[in-house]
Amino acid sequence: MQSEDQVVEEVLENDDDDESLFQDIDMLQNHGINVADIKKLKQAGICTIKGIQMTTKKKLCNIKGISEAKMEKIKEASGKLSADGFLTALEYSDKRKQVFRISTGSQEFDKLIGGGLESMAITEAFGEFRTGKTQLSHTLCVTTQLPGANGYTGGKVMFIDTENTFRPDRLRAIADRFNLDQNAVLDNVLYARAYTSEHQFELLDFVAAKFYEEPGVFKLLIIDSIMALFRVDFSGRGELADRQQRLAQMLSRLQKISEEYNVAVFVTNQMTADPGATMSFQVDPKKPIGGNILAHASTTRLSLRKGRGENRIAKIYDSPDLPENEATYAITAGGIGDAKE
């Protein structure tokens, strides 16, 4: 019986390697930026040097107490600290060695997505109801905590729930399948319920702060589902542009968090019936919501659909490096598993 505490202790020992992951914003003190200003940046959710580069000058000026002169000074200091320019593809491929993969619980599924859920990327799974999106999220909460291939040590999970579908007891059943201590598994999952799209956006600041406080401890951020609240808060064509704008900002924040702290981001998405599709001869008139903005922001998109009985089929819908393929998996008492023929 493998105790969960061992897993997390191992993670904590490996902390030193992760220090190179990001440069702390406190380093700006040596470049003449005072502590009060650094504190203001932290309150705005900017905790790393990379975080400053990922924020526009306009946004920095909007932070209370940061004047234009201060902003220029901060930008200049962060520019000196990070030598981010062009890299050769070879250097970048070395950098990509930090990327880890998290198992989905099904070997077939893992093979389909190149060994598991990729860190520093957004993976989106969409499908109709009961295709296993939430089951996949729950299973990932547990598999993230297991040590895996290529020296992956396991780590904690952040879960943002927008549809009130998170069930801790479901994690207990999945923990039993992997012979883990139930309470230890639950203790390693941080859960937040978002009620509005704005609340969902604000929670990301907390997420970034947590990742910064405990570097290398958290390995996965799950949002189930990304679009549900946007669907409710913005209605009709009139507010569509606003909705997409807010959505784009949120996804950009997610992408930045995943790269800044080297975590995997998994989001689920809903479907809509496409009324125009009956005219053209599409096999499946349903499509994921969120439009092109979400389509471009997700690194890998997975389409889930129902198969026979408990079986479900996952298909690569869009990915920069994976071929379009399909895999069959099953929803079992212990989460996502391999399909029995």
Side-chain angles (χ1 to χ4, degrees), residues 50-282:
K50 207 171 185 178
I52 293 176
Q53 291 176 312
M54 289 174 171
T55 312
T56 58
K57 291 184 174 182
K58 186 178 169 189
K59 223 172 186 173
L60 280 177
C61 285
N62 286 345
I63 297 170
K64 208 173 173 190
I66 303 280
S67 64
E68 201 162 319
K70 270 184 193 168
M71 174 273 296
E72 290 291 355
K73 203 173 170 190
I74 290 169
K75 276 284 193 192
E76 188 187 353
S78 69
K80 280 180 193 161
L81 278 169
S82 71
D84 271 4
F86 280 92
L87 298 171
T88 65
L90 188 63
E91 288 168 325
Y92 187 57
S93 105
D94 265 357
K95 213 172 168 183
R96 291 269 307 168
K97 285 193 177 127
Q98 290 180 341
V99 172
F100 56 83
R101 291 182 177 274
I102 298 168
S103 166
T104 57
S106 154
Q107 290 178 341
E108 283 293 304
F109 204 151
D110 286 348
K111 221 182 280 173
L112 174 76
I113 54 178
L117 221 64
E118 189 180 41
S119 75
M120 292 199 191
I122 298 177
T123 306
E124 175 204 344
F126 64 85
E128 288 181 89
F129 61 96
R130 69 187 208 92
T131 48
K133 302 188 296 293
T134 300
Q135 297 307 319
L136 185 53
S137 308
H138 281 70
T139 309
L140 284 166
C141 280
V142 180
T143 54
T144 304
Q145 301 178 34
L146 293 164
N150 303 329
Y152 170 65
T153 51
K156 294 187 181 181
V157 183
M158 283 262 202
F159 198 109
I160 296 176
D161 180 10
T162 64
E163 299 180 312
N164 196 19
T165 47
F166 180 72
R167 298 288 180 271
D169 292 345
R170 190 75 190 92
L171 296 185
R172 289 180 191 276
I174 300 170
D176 286 346
R177 166 186 164 192
F178 293 105
N179 299 328
L180 297 172
D181 175 19
Q182 294 184 356
N183 289 346
V185 165
L186 265 64
D187 203 29
N188 286 330
V189 178
L190 260 185
Y191 167 80
R193 169 89 165 89
Y195 293 101
T196 66
S197 55
E198 281 168 16
H199 183 204
Q200 190 178 340
F201 195 82
E202 281 158 18
L203 281 171
L204 292 185
D205 278 347
F206 174 79
V207 168
K210 201 73 184 153
F211 287 170
Y212 165 72
E213 279 163 31
E214 304 180 33
V217 173
F218 288 93
K219 298 291 184 190
L220 174 68
L221 167 62
I222 297 174
I223 302 183
D224 180 25
S225 79
I226 186 114
M227 283 299 299
L229 296 174
F230 283 96
R231 231 176 175 177
V232 177
D233 294 350
F234 299 90
S235 52
R237 284 274 167 98
E239 293 181 352
L240 188 61
D242 280 349
R243 183 190 87 171
Q244 294 302 81
Q245 185 67 51
R246 290 298 293 166
L247 179 64
Q249 286 166 356
M250 179 160 159
L251 290 163
S252 144
R253 183 99 174 93
L254 274 178
Q255 184 64 52
K256 286 168 183 172
I257 286 174
S258 75
E259 284 181 39
E260 208 173 337
Y261 301 106
N262 190 17
V263 291
V265 175
F266 177 71
V267 301
T268 67
N269 191 11
Q270 306 168 335
M271 305 278 283
T272 176
D274 183 2
T278 42
M279 309 301 288
S280 60
F281 298 101
Q282 279 177 339

